């Protein structure tokens, strides 16, 4: 049998169908409690790139049929020596060296772009979970990558959500947050807050635990926020946002976002939550997060599950998620390979 690796041709619908099918099969094998990857989001790097990301997409074929793919995300604004990577092999064709061959092509591509580091995430054991093999983690270790950051995916089961408790938490946060007022918006940041959103988003990688990852904070500004919003619009992603405004200055000093992929009504992703360091200790994280959950639930009556990732060391964020009813669902590791 002949194995070939070639760049994906964006006009080749048949191959796009096949690589998406592989992504769905891998999801069902590796993280079966998550929904299939959204097709529109999956293809979007080809048509609507996120600002600062140049995606290279390779397809592995066995005797002409797609059996795996690799996406290399080259960073063009910040972290220009780093590339994020996604590598997926059809579960029916694993342990035949296809992953290794794709990886070698990815490393070659990274070298051509003067990159120094590859970073990729895999499913892994939850803290204390023993006796299971995780193919992605075993593969990353075999490729010489080092575990750089441990995360835990937590899930909120909406059916089990105690709505009275959510209201009580919100009331408690409001009482502690004197001098701040909550604000909400859907997809597009109101113009008056866009610079503050850029500032908060830029702080994320500075403030969240990053373990051993060599990753610098992202250079965010209002234009990049707007460009990212346009890219998310093109993916059909619905966003719910709640922020905390410091009344004395009018600045947005806390912010959280929850999103649903196009076509998804029952599943959401809890995205960023960040409070500016000078305004911590006023329960603004809880104010934003509990308020935003109530906001999303009011507009998304079919919502059943919300997933979020936290660094295992992110004590404060985890405490808030615990209070809201999020529970550990799976471990995850960010691997780094210096080439
Ligand atoms: C990880 C993945 C890409 C591996 O693909 P693959 O084609 O099976 O990998 P290979 O056959 O090239 O394996 C290379 C080496 O990795 C290790 N490895 C891969 N899968 C393994 C498993 N299930 N258990 C133990 N070791 C494993 C082995 O050392 C293997 O070499 P060997 O077969 O000679 O012992 C595939 O399992 C996958 O798509 N997983 C889901 C997505 C993911 O986690 N991607 C990785 C990071 S972005």
């Amino acid at each position: 049998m002949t194995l070939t690796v070639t760049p994906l041709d964006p006009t080749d619908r048949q191959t796009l169908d096949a690589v998406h099918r592989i992504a769905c099969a891998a999801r069902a094998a590796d993280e079966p409690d998550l929904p299939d990857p959204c097709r529109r989001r999956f293809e979007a790097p080809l048509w609507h790139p996120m600002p600062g990301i140049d995606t290279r997409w390779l397809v592995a074929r066995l005797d002409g049929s797609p059996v795996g793919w690799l996406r290399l995300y080259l960073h063009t604004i910040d972290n220009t020596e780093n590339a994020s990577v996604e590598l997926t092999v059809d579960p029916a064709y694993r342990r035949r060296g296809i992953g290794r061959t794709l990886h070698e092509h990815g490393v070659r591509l990274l070298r051509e772009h003067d990159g120094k580091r590859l970073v990729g995430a895999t499913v892994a054991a939850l803290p204390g979970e023993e006796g299971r093999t995780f193919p992605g983690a075993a593969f990353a270790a075999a490729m010489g990558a080092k575990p750089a950051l441990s995360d835990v995916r937590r899930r909120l089961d909406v059916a089990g959500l105690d709505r009275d408790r959510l209201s009580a938490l919100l009331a408690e946060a409001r009482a502690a947050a004197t001098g701040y007022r909550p604000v909400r918006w859907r997809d597009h940041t109101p113009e008056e807050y866009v610079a503050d959103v850029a500032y908060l988003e830029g702080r994320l990688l500075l403030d969240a635990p990053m373990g051993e990852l060599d990753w610098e904070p992202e250079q965010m500004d209002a234009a990049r926020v707007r460009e990212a919003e346009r890219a998310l619009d093109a993916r059909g992603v619905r966003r719910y946002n709640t922020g905390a405004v410091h009344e004395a200055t009018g600045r947005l000093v806390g912010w959280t976002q929850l999103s649903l992929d196009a076509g998804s009504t029952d599943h959401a992703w809890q995205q960023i939550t960040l409070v500016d360091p000078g305004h911590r200790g006023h329960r603004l994280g809880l104010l934003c997060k509990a308020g935003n959950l109530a906001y999303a639930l009011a507009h998304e009556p079919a919502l059943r599950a919300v997933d979020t990732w936290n660094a295992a060391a992110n004590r404060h964020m985890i405490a808030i998620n615990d209070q809201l009813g999020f529970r550990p669902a799976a471990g995850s590791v960010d691997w780094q390979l210096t080439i």
Side-chain angles (χ1 to χ4, degrees):
M1 292 190 117
T2 310
L3 182 67
T4 56
V5 175
T6 49
L8 178 99
D9 169 2
T11 62
D12 177 356
R13 301 300 305 172
Q14 229 182 332
T15 299
L16 269 171
D17 288 346
V19 292
H20 183 251
R21 263 199 312 273
I22 292 170
C24 294
R27 178 64 63 81
D30 302 312
E31 283 199 285
D33 62 327
L34 288 179
D36 280 351
C38 165
R39 175 69 187 257
R40 210 161 140 187
R41 191 170 195 147
F42 185 70
E43 280 187 21
L46 295 170
W47 322 111
H48 308 283
M50 294 299 283
I53 305 287
D54 174 6
T55 303
R56 304 303 164 101
W57 198 338
L58 303 176
V59 181
R61 294 169 199 270
L62 210 48
D63 287 344
S65 300
V67 287
W69 52 266
L70 174 142
R71 290 205 277 204
L72 195 67
Y73 301 96
L74 300 162
H75 296 253
T76 58
I77 299 176
D78 34 52
N79 294 291
T80 53
E81 292 182 338
N82 296 353
S84 320
V85 65
E86 274 186 287
L87 199 175
T88 303
V89 172
D90 187 332
Y93 292 91
R94 290 184 182 172
R95 294 308 288 274
R96 302 183 188 194
I98 297 165
R100 188 187 293 277
T101 304
L102 274 167
H103 172 74
E104 285 163 3
H105 277 78
V107 168
R108 205 171 305 145
L109 206 51
L110 182 62
R111 284 218 169 87
E112 282 167 22
H113 289 86
D114 300 322
K116 294 211 167 87
R117 282 171 226 99
L118 267 182
V119 173
T122 69
V123 189
L126 276 168
E129 187 182 0
E130 280 167 23
R132 271 177 75 193
T133 302
F134 294 90
F139 173 81
M143 296 305 110
K146 301 278 176 267
L149 180 66
S150 291
D151 292 319
V152 172
R153 174 166 62 85
R154 284 183 168 70
R155 166 164 290 192
L156 176 72
D157 172 9
V158 175
L161 178 69
D162 181 342
R163 303 219 179 202
D164 292 339
R165 175 148 168 74
L166 183 63
S167 304
L169 283 170
L170 201 48
E172 183 192 315
R174 279 211 188 98
T178 42
Y180 299 89
R181 98 186 119 78
V183 285
R184 297 168 159 184
W185 67 92
R186 289 285 292 261
D187 297 335
H188 302 118
T189 312
E191 193 55 36
E192 60 195 304
Y193 303 132
V194 70
D196 293 333
V197 159
Y199 165 76
L200 291 171
E201 195 158 5
R203 281 208 72 94
L204 181 65
L205 300 185
L206 202 65
D207 293 351
M210 292 298 282
E212 305 299 313
L213 286 175
D214 291 311
W215 210 274
E216 64 189 34
E218 288 174 341
Q219 297 159 28
M220 294 302 300
D221 57 22
R224 193 166 171 187
V225 169
R226 291 296 187 217
E227 211 181 316
E229 287 180 347
R230 281 192 291 276
L232 289 172
D233 289 346
R235 287 158 175 72
V237 176
R238 308 197 288 296
R239 286 95 77 195
Y240 294 88
N241 298 272
T242 298
V245 172
H246 182 226
E247 288 177 316
T249 57
R251 302 287 305 270
L252 187 88
V253 295
W255 168 50
T256 192
Q257 183 179 79
L258 184 142
S259 69
L260 287 88
D261 287 337
S264 169
T265 55
D266 60 352
H267 182 270
W269 308 101
Q270 167 62 55
Q271 309 278 6
I272 186 171
T273 303
L274 203 122
V275 176
D276 194 22
H279 297 270
R280 292 188 186 158
H282 302 279
R283 316 232 69 193
L284 299 183
L286 183 62
L287 180 79
C288 291
K289 232 169 173 172
N292 203 42
L293 192 55
Y295 180 34
L297 286 170
H299 289 85
E300 302 286 347
L303 192 56
R304 289 288 163 267
V306 184
D307 280 293
T308 191
W309 278 266
N310 301 116
N314 197 345
R315 211 155 52 77
H316 296 302
M317 198 73 272
I318 290 169
I320 292 176
N321 288 339
D322 274 350
Q323 282 183 303
L324 292 173
F326 283 84
R327 297 292 172 255
S332 152
V333 168
D334 291 323
W335 299 81
Q336 179 168 292
L337 176 70
T338 304
I339 63 165

